[in-house]
Amino acid sequence: MLATGGTIAGQAGDASKTAGYKAGVVGVDKLLEAVPALSSVARIHAEQFASIDSKDMSAALWTALSRRIDTLLAQDDIDGVVVTHGTDTLEETAYLLHLTVKRAKPVVLTAAMRPSTALSADGPLNLLNAVSVAASQDAAGKGVLVAFNNQIHSARDVAKTSTYAVDAFRAPETGALGFVQDGRVEFQRTVVRPHTVASEFSVTDEWPMVEIVTSHADASRVTVDALVAAGARGIVVAGTGNGSMHATLTHALADAVKKGVAVVRSSRVGSGHVMRNGAASDDALGTISAGTLNPYKARVLLMLALASGAQDLQRIFDTY
Ligand code: SIN
């Protein structure tokens, strides 16, 4: 178990408070102590890998985490890894690990919406469920998984969809892969896109600069021009609808593409896919469509693709 912080390790002065707490302060030993039933599921070696609020996750920490998981899973006496994480950027870390960990053994992320000190804290059960999934033979070869609120999701498709609800995670286009309840782990769907051992990507110590820009009413070109001037290698657009972009933004992004910046169209909508040559002519503009990846996951894939030196970006977005 690699603990990184988050609300699952959060602490509030008052058990009736589910907001206004400090994330990432309770150590992994205390999290384990709160769930005695874990000892009947697995023998757990726990590491306090980080103690952060996941809004502060960094690419450097992603690199270290991916490498640490690879090292641990290479050991014969380790059958799977559970990562405890904050909910805020969990979907980004999960997708990054899904594409960079080079092992078939289970890797399961979990988190909580309520701090560990809250009445009806959701962390302990999520933790028990995550360990049950990681200990299951059925979880091997499915890439990185997220166990949350009794559901099992693929890292590729899951997203945080509520600011406060304990069922905050959903896969809007595909649904959950399965469920975990009272120790029973059951998968009902599988993962079809390549990941882990079949992925062409690796973490790096030198990440390219990739930023996200949103299209909205009255959008200007100020942000895009500033990013290009700052040396951005990639820009993901959180477009309206099917990845459409304000005309002013479209002109700025077309100029960015001419200067060698990779531009990917995603959507700010939260579900659905962005079709190539749908709301914008990708062929004419030189842009890439993100398909079903939300802007935050599209950024992860674009960072990995640019770091790998890949040229065929649309193939990558169609594949992963
Ligand atoms: C965080 O993402 O670290 C804080 C919020 C949460 O875990 O729910």
Side-chain angles (χ1 to χ4, degrees), residues 5-8 21 23 52-55 85-89 112-113 160:
T7 293
I8 193 167
Y21 57 87
I52 61 164
D53 185 320
S54 79
K55 70 180 175 55
H85 200 283
T87 59
D88 286 341
T89 57
M113 290 298 285
K160 183 173 178 178

Side-chain angles (χ1 to χ4, degrees), residues 5-12 21-28 48 51-53 116:
T7 293
I8 193 167
Q11 196 166 33
Y21 57 87
K22 192 157 170 39
V25 291
V26 177
V28 66
Q48 191 69 48
S51 296
I52 61 164
D53 185 320
S116 66

